Amino acid sequence: MKSVLIGSVISSQIMLEEMLKVGFPVNMVFSLDEKYSDNVSGYYPIHETAKQNGIPYTKFRKISTEDNIRLIKGLNPDYIFVIGLSQLIDKRILKIPGNGCVGFHPTPLPKFRGRAAMVWQVLLGVHETKCTLFMLDEGMDSGDILGQQEYVIEDNDYAADVERKLCDALRVLSNKVLSGLK
């Protein structure tokens, strides 16, 4: 089995760590280049973890360039994981992997699809929530759900508290889903 991970934030890092932990093959990491990370909230250089673990990586500005598409296609992955990326994925990339593309959303899809999902949950007073791993399709956060993991947002939580709880939930969920896909 072969896979590719594309990402730019802490959730991308968590997925990479969990892939390594459960022995899920990562054949290449596509990491947002730090030169283009100024407007990315919570940027995380996942290429550093790839380098430390001997995983080939490349940095990108826009994932859907001809060069990146050609590179991904040449890897012939079974899965592409797009975790923590605020760029739309070109349908040509979606069609590459044999088993599909896996995405992540910090809400219980189909609720709160789209951007600023964490903020909307806090503003609307949502307490019991879930994060979701799902199969990407051409819609916006609309593919088949692979799994969800609960976490709780308290009234007195700060943004860092919510992020920590989400990250803990993603670790549990990633482990379950990766083990199932393996």
Side-chain angles (χ1 to χ4, degrees):
M1 185 182 318
K2 295 187 232 170
S3 74
V4 168
L5 173 65
I6 302 169
S8 64
V9 296
I10 190 66
S11 58
S12 318
Q13 174 67 15
I14 289 169
M15 179 58 76
L16 181 53
E17 289 171 359
E18 292 303 311
M19 292 171 100
L20 292 167
K21 183 177 167 183
V22 303
F24 199 94
V26 185
N27 298 85
M28 184 153 219
V29 168
F30 286 77
S31 177
L32 181 68
D33 194 317
E34 53 269 298
K35 292 186 289 193
Y36 308 110
S37 66
D38 287 346
N39 294 324
V40 176
S41 179
Y43 172 75
Y44 198 98
I46 62 172
H47 57 274
E48 292 176 5
T49 301
K51 184 177 181 179
Q52 291 168 358
N53 288 278
I55 301 168
Y57 68 89
T58 190
K59 297 179 188 179
F60 66 91
R61 179 178 188 177
K62 298 285 183 197
I63 192 61
S64 295
T65 65
E66 293 301 323
D67 287 343
N68 286 335
I69 292 169
R70 190 172 24 262
L71 183 54
I72 294 168
K73 203 177 274 190
L75 294 167
N76 194 29
D78 296 294
Y79 290 100
I80 297 175
F81 292 82
V82 182
I83 310 293
L85 186 68
S86 58
Q87 298 178 21
L88 293 177
I89 302 300
D90 190 294
K91 62 182 168 187
R92 293 174 296 168
I93 292 175
L94 293 175
K95 293 178 180 178
I96 293 172
N99 295 329
C101 293
V102 177
F104 168 70
H105 201 68
T107 70
L109 291 177
K111 286 184 173 180
F112 308 110
R113 291 171 43 194
R115 309 263 299 170
M118 293 297 297
V119 174
W120 278 112
Q121 289 186 114
V122 172
L123 289 173
L124 294 171
V126 172
H127 293 288
E128 294 181 14
T129 189
K130 298 175 185 177
C131 60
T132 306
L133 284 170
F134 65 103
M135 298 304 292
L136 293 172
D137 59 19
E138 291 185 35
M140 177 65 73
D141 302 326
S142 60
D144 292 339
I145 293 173
L146 295 171
Q148 296 182 320
Q149 183 64 41
E150 296 176 353
Y151 64 102
V152 176
I153 301 172
E154 303 290 346
D155 287 332
N156 59 347
D157 279 348
Y158 290 96
D161 299 319
V162 177
E163 180 182 54
R164 179 183 43 75
K165 291 175 179 184
L166 172 63
C167 288
D168 291 345
L170 176 57
R171 283 190 191 285
V172 172
L173 178 60
S174 296
N175 195 292
K176 288 179 193 175
V177 169
L178 290 169
S179 295
L181 294 177
K182 216 172 124 178

